[in-house]
């Protein structure tokens, strides 16, 4: 290996298979832990006992978490979408050996994370109850949801800080440390849950609000741990904020990629809000089933997102370094791994839906609705892995608008209208078919855009 190669970041020289594994495996493991604590959160909430005034308290609490999901997803969308823009610009800057721009990107990233926290803390503090009343008039669900969402937003500095400082580590190839931060945060969340929800060992018995408090405490711990690793281990960038001034050009570059990603992820909030409204026509149990589905599917999707988090900086770095063969090797391998993960999820949804629902203390009615729902929705996993990897490739190469278009097509143009029509024509059991229909439409679009990106961005690099 030449002296130049030995001085280059591993993303430009290491064998692609080994590189993708080393970059992605820590993220996949940490994402699996994240998915586990999402499931554990809802599992604990589903066992909240009834009281003299509240019957089916666990099911009502699950429904409240389902109604809260669009707002939570919006926060995550802004945090991760901003992170995608930071990741792409910072990795590209390192690939081009532009270390000054890399440092400016990192410092502006910290500033943006702080601004995002302030905005959501204000929105959550003043508008949480209004948000729930737009979806349901049930006073029990509104009460549960308001207390849960206010805690999640007012203490969201942990979420925004954790995501951003982890992205800085990912951008320089140090994904092992993000596995530790996410894993530790998730483990603390799981440990805190029963103490705050049920009041174990003299802790306050907070119910649904306890689940929120456990979540934000886990995020805060992960946030401070991520700061520590950046300061001590991330030598490729400087985070010295002395004399810092926001840089409009850098922020513009970050959001040229980040805004489409934010909008794309936020569309999930719109979709979930719309689905909640459709399902409320039938019952709060149907909404609880939808929430359970999202918790379960996270155990399949989170590893794929972890794979993407490892793949994006590799693609962006090699694009900046003008190495098209490494870009395509990375994408092809990513698609194969993602599809394999999705096949495991499909098998679980089709073969064991009753066992999966049993984790959440499902009643007879919830089982009747949920078994049918999981088996139908699970079909869309056949093509979802391919669609996700393609969208991430578009973002890494600076074409976030293509990812945005695919997401809008899938979740707004196809899924919601299809769900509404199927609800009116075929009832509740038919609604779930909207998911496989929408995913197939998205796959066709991804294939077309993949060919376009290859001809526009990859082939010119070979000249």
């Amino acid at each position: 290996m030449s002296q130049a190669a030995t001085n280059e970041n591993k993303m430009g020289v290491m064998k692609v298979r080994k590189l993708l594994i080393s970059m992605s495996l820590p993220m996949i493991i940490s994402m699996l832990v994240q998915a586990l604590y999402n499931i554990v959160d809802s599992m604990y909430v589903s066992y909240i006992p009834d009281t003299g005034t509240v019957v089916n308290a666990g099911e009502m609490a699950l429904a409240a978490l389902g109604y809260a999901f669009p707002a939570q997803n919006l926060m995550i969308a802004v945090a991760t979408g901003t992170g995608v823009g930071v990741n792409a610009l910072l990795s590209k800057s390192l690939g081009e050996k532009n270390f000054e721009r890399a440092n400016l990107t990192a410092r502006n990233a910290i500033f943006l994370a702080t601004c995002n926290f302030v905005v959501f803390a204000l929105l959550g503090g003043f508008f949480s109850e209004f948000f729930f009343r737009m979806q349901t008039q049930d006073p029990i669900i509104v009460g549960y949801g308001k207390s849960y969402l206010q805690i999640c937003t007012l203490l969201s500095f942990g979420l925004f800080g954790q995501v951003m400082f982890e992205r800085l580590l990912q951008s320089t190839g140090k994904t092992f440390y993000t596995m530790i931060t996410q894993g530790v945060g998730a483990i603390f969340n799981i440990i805190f849950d029963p103490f705050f929800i049920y009041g174990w060992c003299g802790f306050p018995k907070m119910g649904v609000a306890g689940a929120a408090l456990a979540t934000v405490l886990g995020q805060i711990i992960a946030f401070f741990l991520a700061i520590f690793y950046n300061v001590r281990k991330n030598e490729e960038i400087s985070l010295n904020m002395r004399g810092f001034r926001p840089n409009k050009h850098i922020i513009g570059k970050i959001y040229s990629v980040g805004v489409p990603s934010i909008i794309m992820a936020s569309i999930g909030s719109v979709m979930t809000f719309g689905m909640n409204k459709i399902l409320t026509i039938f019952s709060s149990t149907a909404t609880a089933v939808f929430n359970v589905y999202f918790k379960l599917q996270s155990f399949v999707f989170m590893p794929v997102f972890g794979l993407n988090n490892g793949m994006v900086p590799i693609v962006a770095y090699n694009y900046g370094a003008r190495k098209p063969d490494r870009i395509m090797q990375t994408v092809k391998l990513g698609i194969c791994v993602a599809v394999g993960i999705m096949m495991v999820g499909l098998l679980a949804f089709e073969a064991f839906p009753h066992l999966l629902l049993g984790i959440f203390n499902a009643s007879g009615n919830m089982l009747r609705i949920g078994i049918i729902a999981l088996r139908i929705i699970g079909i869309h996993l056949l093509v979802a892995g391919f669609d996700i990897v393609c969208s991430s490739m578009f973002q890494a190469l600076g074409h976030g608008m293509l990812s945005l278009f695919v997401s809008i097509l899938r979740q707004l143009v196809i899924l919601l209208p299809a769900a509404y029509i199927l609800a009116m024509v075929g009832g509740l059991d038919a609604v779930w078919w909207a998911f496989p229909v929408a995913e197939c439409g998205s796959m066709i679009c991804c294939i077309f855009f993949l060919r376009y990106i290859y001809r526009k961005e990859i082939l010119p690099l070979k000249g």
Side-chain angles (χ1 to χ4, degrees):
M1 187 178 291
S2 68
Q3 182 64 36
T6 59
N7 292 333
E8 187 173 356
N9 187 288
K10 67 179 181 179
M11 289 187 286
V13 294
M14 186 182 289
K15 288 185 177 180
V16 169
R17 184 184 298 271
K18 183 179 179 181
L19 176 62
L20 187 59
I21 291 173
S22 68
M23 292 281 287
S24 299
L25 188 58
M27 295 304 305
I28 290 173
I29 293 172
S30 63
M31 288 290 191
L32 280 171
V33 176
Q34 294 278 322
L36 178 63
Y37 93 70
N38 281 336
I39 290 177
V40 171
D41 254 7
S42 294
M43 181 192 73
Y44 279 126
V45 162
S46 71
Y47 283 91
I48 290 176
D50 294 349
T51 65
T53 57
V54 181
V55 181
N56 293 328
E59 202 168 286
M60 300 283 271
L62 275 176
L65 264 59
Y67 288 122
F69 182 80
Q72 283 185 290
N73 187 66
L74 183 61
M75 284 196 295
I76 295 171
V78 172
T80 58
T82 304
V84 166
V86 170
N87 208 339
L89 181 58
L90 207 159
S91 295
K92 186 171 183 287
S93 298
L94 291 174
E96 295 171 342
K97 305 297 187 291
N98 190 337
F99 299 110
E100 180 180 357
R101 188 173 67 187
N103 289 331
L104 281 173
T105 301
R107 294 165 190 168
N108 279 273
I110 297 171
F111 168 74
L112 293 175
T114 305
C115 294
N116 291 336
F117 155 64
V118 172
V119 170
F120 277 95
L122 292 172
L123 290 174
F126 289 106
F127 298 108
S128 289
E129 182 173 347
F130 173 75
F131 175 75
F132 278 89
R133 291 198 179 279
M134 286 195 299
Q135 299 179 84
T136 178
Q137 294 302 312
D138 188 305
I140 304 298
I141 295 177
V142 171
Y144 282 163
K146 177 185 175 182
S147 62
Y148 180 87
L149 191 56
Q150 283 188 331
I151 291 173
C152 287
T153 52
L154 291 173
L155 298 177
S156 62
F157 67 89
L159 167 66
F160 288 105
Q162 177 192 350
V163 169
M164 190 55 69
F165 278 92
E166 286 175 351
R167 288 290 182 171
L168 297 180
L169 290 168
Q170 291 168 25
S171 297
T172 55
K174 296 174 176 61
T175 55
F176 174 77
Y177 298 112
T178 64
M179 178 184 72
I180 297 176
T181 57
Q182 292 187 13
V184 169
I187 289 168
F188 270 97
N189 185 353
I190 292 170
I191 293 172
F192 289 145
D193 263 331
F195 289 92
F196 288 118
I197 294 174
Y198 305 131
W200 285 6
C201 301
F203 279 77
K205 186 177 180 181
M206 300 173 66
V208 175
L213 185 57
T215 296
V216 297
L217 286 176
Q219 292 167 346
I220 291 169
I221 290 170
F223 167 41
F224 285 113
L225 190 57
I227 292 177
F228 171 80
Y229 282 129
N230 269 284
V231 172
R232 292 297 183 91
K233 304 294 183 180
N234 208 354
E235 298 174 353
E236 292 188 72
I237 55 176
S238 170
L239 301 180
N240 187 347
M241 301 293 287
R242 183 177 300 173
F244 168 79
R245 294 289 185 274
N247 186 303
K248 293 181 180 180
H249 177 71
I250 294 292
I251 292 173
K253 286 282 188 181
I254 290 171
Y255 279 124
S256 68
V257 175
V259 166
S261 182
I262 291 170
I263 296 174
M264 181 174 62
S266 300
I267 289 167
S269 295
V270 177
M271 182 275 290
T272 307
F273 185 90
M275 285 297 297
N276 284 340
K277 294 287 285 184
I278 292 170
L279 294 172
T280 301
I281 297 172
F282 299 100
S283 67
S284 61
T285 302
T287 304
V289 167
F290 187 51
N291 179 47
V292 165
Y293 155 70
F294 263 102
K295 300 299 182 180
L296 292 172
Q297 63 98 36
S298 70
F299 212 74
V300 183
F301 279 81
M302 284 294 192
V304 177
F305 293 148
L307 173 72
N308 285 352
N309 286 340
M311 188 187 81
V312 165
I314 298 174
V315 172
Y317 184 97
N318 285 284
Y319 181 59
R322 300 186 66 83
K323 296 182 177 181
D325 291 339
R326 291 179 63 81
I327 294 173
M328 293 311 300
Q329 288 176 41
T330 302
V331 173
K332 290 175 182 177
L333 183 58
I335 289 173
C336 291
V337 175
V339 170
I341 293 171
M342 289 295 180
M343 291 303 100
V344 175
L346 173 63
L347 177 63
F349 272 49
E350 298 301 325
F352 312 111
H354 55 294
L355 297 179
L356 296 174
L357 290 162
I359 296 172
F360 302 93
N361 193 27
S363 64
N365 187 39
M366 189 172 173
L367 283 171
R368 184 193 67 78
I369 296 172
I371 288 174
I372 295 172
L374 293 187
R375 282 180 170 157
I376 294 174
I377 296 175
I379 296 171
H380 89 289
L381 298 177
L382 284 167
V383 295
F386 172 81
D387 293 347
I388 292 171
V389 172
C390 286
S391 291
S392 295
M393 178 192 177
F394 303 155
Q395 294 170 14
L397 296 180
H399 289 271
M401 291 301 296
L402 298 183
S403 295
L404 173 61
F405 183 87
V406 171
S407 188
I408 291 175
L409 178 72
R410 179 173 63 248
Q411 298 186 77
L412 299 186
V413 177
I414 300 178
L415 196 149
L416 277 183
Y420 180 77
I421 293 170
L422 290 168
M424 297 298 102
V425 174
L428 178 59
D429 291 345
V431 170
W432 315 114
W433 282 102
F435 287 88
V437 169
E439 204 67 57
C440 288
S442 146
M443 178 187 67
I444 294 170
C445 195
C446 279
I447 292 172
F448 177 81
F449 286 153
L450 186 60
R451 288 171 58 87
Y452 168 77
I453 287 292
Y454 181 76
R455 292 171 179 171
K456 180 177 175 60
E457 302 292 351
I458 307 301
L459 279 180
L461 296 180
K462 296 183 177 183

